[in-house]
Amino acid sequence: MAVEKTFVMIKPDGIQREIAGEIISRFERKGLKLVGMKMIKMSREKAETHYGEHKGKGFYDELIAFITSGPVILSVWEGLEAIKIVRKVVGATSPDKAEPGTIRGDFVLCTTFNVVHASDSGETAKKEISHFFEDNEIFDYSLPLGEFLQ
Ligand code: CMP
C-alpha cells in the first residue's frame, strides 16, 4: 500500500447548499490529510480541459455551464491508498447507486449536480493536481498521529 495524493473539487452546488464544511469534514474524519486548498471561479478553458474526456456527450454542455456557474473549492488530499479511499467516501456517480453514508449517497439526487468530483486513477490525480495547483501550493507537514494514520 502506498501513500498517494488525490484531487477533490467541491462543485458550485456544494457551496450554494452550504455543505462544503461537511464534505471537507468527511475526508478529515476518515484520516486523510489536507495538503492543498483554494477557492476559484473556473474559467471555461480550465473546465473544458478538466472535462475533456466527456466532450461530445449529451451532458457535456450542461456540465461545463454548471461547473463555471459559481465558485468551486479545489483540494488535494494525502493518505494511504488515498485515490481509492476518497472515491469510496464520495460514492458512486449515479445517484441510485451511491450508498447512504457516502457524500453522494447522502446529498445527491441528480447526476450532474453531484456536489463533488474526485480523481479516478493515479494518472488522473497527477494530471488534475498539476492542472489546478502549483508545486508551492501543495504542503508537506506532519500530523501528530501521522505515522499511525498512514
Ligand atoms: P464528476 O465526478 O465530476 O465527473 C464527470 C461529471 O459528469 C460527473 O461527475 C457528473 O457531474 C457528470 N455526469 C457524468 N455522467 C453523467 C450523466 N449520465 N448525466 C449527467 N451528468 C453526468
Side-chain angles (χ1 to χ4, degrees):
M1 294 209 289
V3 175
E4 299 171 337
K5 286 187 179 65
T6 192
F7 171 74
V8 172
M9 167 168 54
I10 302 175
K11 299 186 182 185
D13 56 338
I15 290 163
Q16 289 293 317
R17 291 172 59 186
E18 299 184 290
I19 54 172
E22 164 82 33
I23 293 169
I24 292 162
S25 173
R26 288 184 178 219
F27 297 121
E28 287 184 323
R29 278 158 39 194
K30 182 69 179 167
L32 292 150
K33 180 160 76 171
L34 180 62
V35 295
M37 177 166 274
K38 57 187 167 186
M39 183 184 251
I40 65 159
K41 179 116 179 339
M42 203 181 297
S43 66
R44 192 175 171 89
E45 187 191 358
K46 281 266 186 206
E48 287 182 348
T49 304
H50 178 67
Y51 283 126
E53 67 175 291
H54 298 297
K55 197 172 170 68
K57 295 184 184 167
F59 59 84
Y60 178 76
D61 289 343
E62 183 183 46
L63 179 60
I64 298 297
F66 163 54
I67 217 70
T68 56
S69 67
V72 295
I73 293 174
L74 310 175
S75 58
V76 181
W77 294 86
E78 186 182 280
L80 266 187
E81 308 274 283
I83 296 160
K84 204 163 58 186
I85 297 288
V86 161
R87 296 277 292 184
K88 275 198 180 271
V89 173
V90 166
T93 305
S94 180
D96 63 339
K97 297 203 171 64
E99 297 292 339
T102 65
I103 294 169
R104 287 175 177 165
D106 290 349
F107 296 107
V108 174
L109 272 178
C110 166
T111 312
T112 295
F113 308 115
N114 61 357
V115 306
V116 69
H117 164 88
S119 307
D120 61 6
S121 69
E123 196 187 330
T124 312
K126 259 200 191 84
K127 213 161 51 184
E128 293 181 339
I129 291 168
S130 65
H131 186 219
F132 290 110
F133 286 85
E134 302 295 333
D135 287 348
N136 65 6
E137 294 174 317
I138 308 288
F139 295 88
D140 185 9
Y141 65 95
S142 304
L143 294 176
L145 292 177
E147 65 191 284
F148 299 107
L149 294 173
Q150 298 203 333

